C-alpha cells in the first residue's frame, strides 16, 4: 500500500486527511464502511493542491470548513496559500487566510506568498497578503524580498504598493549586490 505521508511535508499526518475523507461522501469505488486507503488519501491531497492551484473554491471551501489543515504543504514545501498566490486566485487566498493560513510560510526554496505575488505583479494579491499580516521585508537566505522580486521583473505597480507598505529599499539584493532601488530615486 502506498504511504500517503510522502506527499505531505512538515505537515499533516495521514490520519487527519482520512478524517477529512470520512467527512465527504464516499467515492463509488468504496463503500461507506471501508476505511480510506493511503492511495485514497494521496488522491485527496493531490486534488486539494490542484484546487488551490486552479482557484477551485468549490472544492476547497467544504474541506476547510471541515477542518482541512490550512498550512498543508506539498512535496516542494508549497502551502495552499503559496499556490493560490502564485497562480492569482484571490478568493481562494482570502478564504485560506480567513481560516488561519500563515501569510509568511516559506517553501523549500525560501519563497513566500508575498514574493510570489510581487513576482507576478499581482497588486491585489500583494495587498490581500499585506492586509493579513504578511511581513513586507521577509526574505530567505539569499536576501530576496518581495521588493527585490518586483524590482527584478519590472512589476512597478507591485513595487509601489510594497514601498507604500514600508518595504526597505536599502536591503541588499541577492548575493550581496546593490539594493533593488537607488534610495535617491523618485520611484515612489
Amino acid at each position: 500500500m502506498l504511504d500517503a505521508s510522502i506527499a505531505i511535508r512538515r505537515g499533516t499526518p495521514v490520519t487527519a486527511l482520512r478524517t477529512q475523507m470520512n467527512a465527504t461522501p464516499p467515492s463509488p469505488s468504496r463503500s461507506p464502511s471501508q476505511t480510506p486507503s493511503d492511495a485514497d488519501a494521496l488522491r485527496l491531497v493531490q486534488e486539494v493542491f490542484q484546487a488551490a492551484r486552479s482557484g477551485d473554491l468549490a472544492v476547497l471551501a467544504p474541506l476547510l470548513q471541515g477542518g482541512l489543515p490550512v498550512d498543508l504543504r506539498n512535496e516542494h514545501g508549497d502551502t495552499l496559500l503559496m499556490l493560490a498566490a502564485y497562480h492569482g486566485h484571490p478568493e481562494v487566498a482570502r478564504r485560506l487566510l480567513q481560516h488561519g493560513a500563515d501569510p509568511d510560510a516559506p517553501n523549500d526554496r525560501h519563497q513566500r506568498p508575498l514574493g510570489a505575488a510581487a513576482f507576478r505583479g499581482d497588486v491585489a494579491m500583494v495587498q490581500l497578503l499585506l492586509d493579513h499580516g504578511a511581513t513586507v521585508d521577509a526574505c530567505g537566505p539569499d536576501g530576496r524580498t518581495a521588493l527585490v522580486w518586483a524590482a527584478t521583473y519590472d512589476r512597478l505597480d507591485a513595487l509601489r504598493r510594497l514601498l507604500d507598505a514600508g518595504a526597505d529599499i536599502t536591503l541588499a539584493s541577492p548575493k550581496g549586490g546593490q539594493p533593488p532601488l537607488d534610495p535617491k530615486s523618485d520611484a515612489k
Side-chain angles (χ1 to χ4, degrees), residues 1-7 14-15 18 21 30 34-43:
M1 188 173 281
L2 181 62
D3 180 3
S5 65
I6 63 170
V14 172
T15 54
R18 286 185 178 145
M21 292 175 64
R30 67 178 173 91
Q34 288 179 311
T35 302
S37 69
D38 286 348
D40 290 333
L42 182 56
R43 233 179 337 276

Side-chain angles (χ1 to χ4, degrees), residues 174-187:
K175 299 183 181 170
Q178 296 299 311
L181 299 171
D182 180 344
K184 296 175 186 165
S185 78
D186 60 345

Side-chain angles (χ1 to χ4, degrees), residues 162-184:
L162 292 164
L163 288 172
D164 289 345
D168 185 350
I169 63 171
T170 65
L171 293 177
S173 64
K175 299 183 181 170
Q178 296 299 311
L181 299 171
D182 180 344
K184 296 175 186 165

